[in-house]
Amino acid sequence: MKNTKISNHIDSEGFYGDYGGAFIPEMLQPNIEELKSSYIEILDSKEFQEEFKELLRNYVGRPTPIYHAKRLSEHYKTQIYLKREDLCHTGAHKINNALGQILLAKRLKKSRIIAETGAGQHGVATATACALMGMQCVVYMGAVDVERQSPNVDRMKMLGAEVIPVHSGSKTLKDATNEAIRDWITNPTDTHYIIGSVVGPHPYPDLVARLQSVISEEIITQMPEEPTHIIACIGGGSNAIGAFYHFLDKEHVNLIGVEAAGKGIHTNETAATLTLGTTGVLHACMTTLLQTKDGQVIEPHSISAGLDYPGIGPQHAHLHQNKSVKYVSATDEEAVAAAFLLTQKEGIIPALESAHAFAYLEQQEWEPTDRILINLSGRGDKDLSTYSKFI
């Protein structure tokens, strides 16, 4: 049962309950203060809203449709609807945030953009936005992800971005984020860091959530009846917050986030942060993360590069703590099986990240009267080299 007495949104200090804040080095203080003092005023301005909504409508292709998946519904003997974020320009929900933040960066008179990326979808979205606006773009990406997401690397380069492989640590998203933060510290004046998920120091979690909330805003107007369940995958958690945002205070709608269990939560190869994690500071915010008793970050594992992250957005940590959202996990094997089922029932190849949300359908008994909305956050073209190993 949801506890609506506890606020599910950010407070004036940048915290969601016990989680959030801005644990930053002194060098970044001016950048963060500039963002904190201006982002809400800019986002709420008539000029920003008109330009942002025009781009979402005519460049991204919003509103994205809601599709009634009839054959998948018959398979599970219930009613399943898909929010088709995979049909956004660039192939995922990430473009909503990238365009919003680059409009913000222009108003802050920044000339250089940096970003981190795991699956490459946020990197492609940021490179696309930079090409559109004629701005310099540098994308940090773990060397492992560069190899497993090579089509997206080529897309970023074609769009004019400089892609810098990161060879430290596990060579994945965590390490790419570390390098992007180091770059921002070195270039604090002319550079805006477009963080791709609801992670990082305040105000980024709230900024990204506001820009992605267009997803749930559309769900409200598009569903023939209000959904009984909304399901989304979570790594950092941007597509999930986007889908949940306008439903967080509707206790009759069941919100479910599915994190990556990797090879299983009882193995050492998992990214199930909320299932196994403890409270600590990661990437400049207080949140839940995978760490040892000594506070050393545990390297995560997921077959999906976008969920291969040892932390979680602070709002998700708060929603988990107050039980407003149910958080579960799905293994690599379950996600791949779900992806093949969706493909063969509906002719839609999902991103490996999104496949984790579909895997939850197999874990639950459903009623014929349920109306289940799944946020299909991205398309699976980028994952074909991984999927081909299971054909």
Side-chain angles (χ1 to χ4, degrees):
M1 180 67 69
K2 293 184 181 181
N3 185 351
T4 56
K5 295 180 180 178
I6 300 174
S7 173
N8 290 322
H9 298 280
I10 202 163
D11 67 18
S12 59
E13 302 299 318
F15 279 86
Y16 305 89
D18 296 332
Y19 303 99
F23 299 81
I24 54 174
E26 189 175 346
M27 286 286 290
L28 281 182
Q29 198 70 33
N31 302 55
I32 291 298
E33 288 300 324
E34 181 182 38
L35 270 180
K36 283 168 60 178
S37 63
S38 59
Y39 81 105
I40 290 180
E41 181 180 352
I42 291 174
L43 262 58
D44 287 347
S45 70
K46 181 181 178 183
E47 181 192 37
F48 177 92
Q49 285 296 321
E50 286 180 349
E51 189 173 6
F52 185 45
K53 288 179 179 178
E54 191 276 332
L55 285 172
L56 290 180
R57 182 172 59 250
N58 296 321
Y59 190 71
V60 175
R62 303 203 73 90
T64 56
I66 285 183
Y67 168 68
H68 183 206
K70 294 180 181 176
R71 294 194 67 218
L72 197 65
S73 296
E74 290 171 2
H75 180 82
Y76 286 108
K77 297 180 173 54
T78 188
Q79 300 303 316
I80 299 171
Y81 298 84
L82 312 183
K83 181 59 172 167
R84 297 293 309 276
E85 292 299 293
D86 60 315
L87 296 181
C88 287
H89 177 46
T90 71
H93 72 292
K94 295 291 189 183
I95 190 71
N96 307 322
N97 170 57
L99 283 174
Q101 284 206 51
I102 207 159
L103 295 181
L104 175 66
K106 279 178 57 181
R107 284 158 175 78
L108 295 175
K109 303 189 184 307
K110 305 297 182 183
S111 59
R112 179 175 179 267
I113 298 295
I114 59 172
E116 86 299 328
T117 195
Q121 292 302 109
H122 173 57
V124 169
T126 302
T128 299
C130 287
L132 182 66
M133 298 294 171
M135 296 178 76
Q136 182 185 358
C137 182
V138 176
V139 179
Y140 291 91
M141 190 171 188
V144 169
D145 294 336
V146 168
E147 182 176 349
R148 61 180 169 177
Q149 302 290 345
S150 60
N152 274 342
V153 175
D154 291 342
R155 292 168 75 191
M156 284 184 269
K157 290 180 176 177
M158 188 171 178
L159 287 159
E162 179 185 3
V163 181
I164 300 180
V166 176
H167 295 275
S168 59
S170 60
K171 306 175 187 176
T172 57
L173 179 58
K174 168 181 69 69
D175 312 291
T177 305
N178 290 341
E179 289 304 316
I181 290 174
R182 289 191 185 99
D183 183 312
W184 204 24
I185 291 172
T186 308
N187 301 281
T189 305
D190 65 340
T191 298
H192 176 71
Y193 178 15
I194 298 185
I195 293 182
S197 194
V198 285
V199 300
H202 173 63
Y204 277 105
D206 186 51
L207 168 61
V208 177
R210 286 171 184 263
L211 294 172
Q212 292 293 2
S213 70
V214 64
I215 300 171
S216 56
E217 187 177 14
E218 290 177 1
I219 291 172
I220 288 174
T221 61
Q222 291 176 305
M223 280 289 284
E225 293 181 78
E226 197 166 58
T228 58
H229 301 73
I230 300 177
I231 306 173
C233 66
I234 50 167
S238 66
N239 91 91
I241 284 296
F244 297 164
Y245 196 89
H246 287 90
F247 294 91
L248 287 173
D249 297 320
K250 294 177 181 286
E251 59 183 293
H252 54 284
V253 179
N254 298 284
L255 307 178
I256 299 144
V258 187
E259 56 185 2
K263 295 184 179 179
I265 59 172
H266 301 297
T267 72
N268 293 325
E269 296 179 86
T270 180
T273 306
L274 288 171
T275 303
L276 301 170
T278 53
T279 300
V281 174
L282 180 67
H283 295 143
C285 74
M286 184 69 72
T287 189
T288 302
L289 67 148
L290 298 173
Q291 59 184 334
T292 65
K293 291 181 180 179
D294 298 327
Q296 299 299 310
V297 174
I298 297 173
E299 300 293 350
H301 164 81
S302 171
I303 195 171
S304 58
L307 305 186
D308 201 348
Y309 185 67
I312 195 83
Q315 189 171 13
H316 284 294
H318 175 60
L319 295 169
H320 177 254
Q321 184 184 53
N322 72 21
K323 297 182 171 51
S324 292
V325 174
K326 179 179 181 180
Y327 292 94
V328 297
S329 62
T331 65
D332 293 350
E333 186 177 357
E334 290 171 327
V336 170
F340 274 77
L341 181 65
L342 175 65
T343 302
Q344 291 166 11
K345 291 292 184 185
E346 299 290 347
I348 298 171
I349 302 174
L352 271 166
E353 290 76 17
S354 313
H356 286 71
F358 287 90
Y360 182 65
L361 292 171
E362 198 68 35
Q363 299 178 11
Q364 180 77 22
E365 294 289 332
W366 302 102
E367 298 294 333
T369 54
D370 287 339
R371 296 180 299 279
I372 303 160
L373 187 290
I374 299 179
N375 197 34
L376 178 46
S377 56
R379 65 180 182 229
D381 310 39
K382 66 182 179 59
D383 296 312
L384 282 179
S385 62
T386 302
Y387 283 138
S388 65
K389 298 173 185 174
F390 297 89
I391 295 172

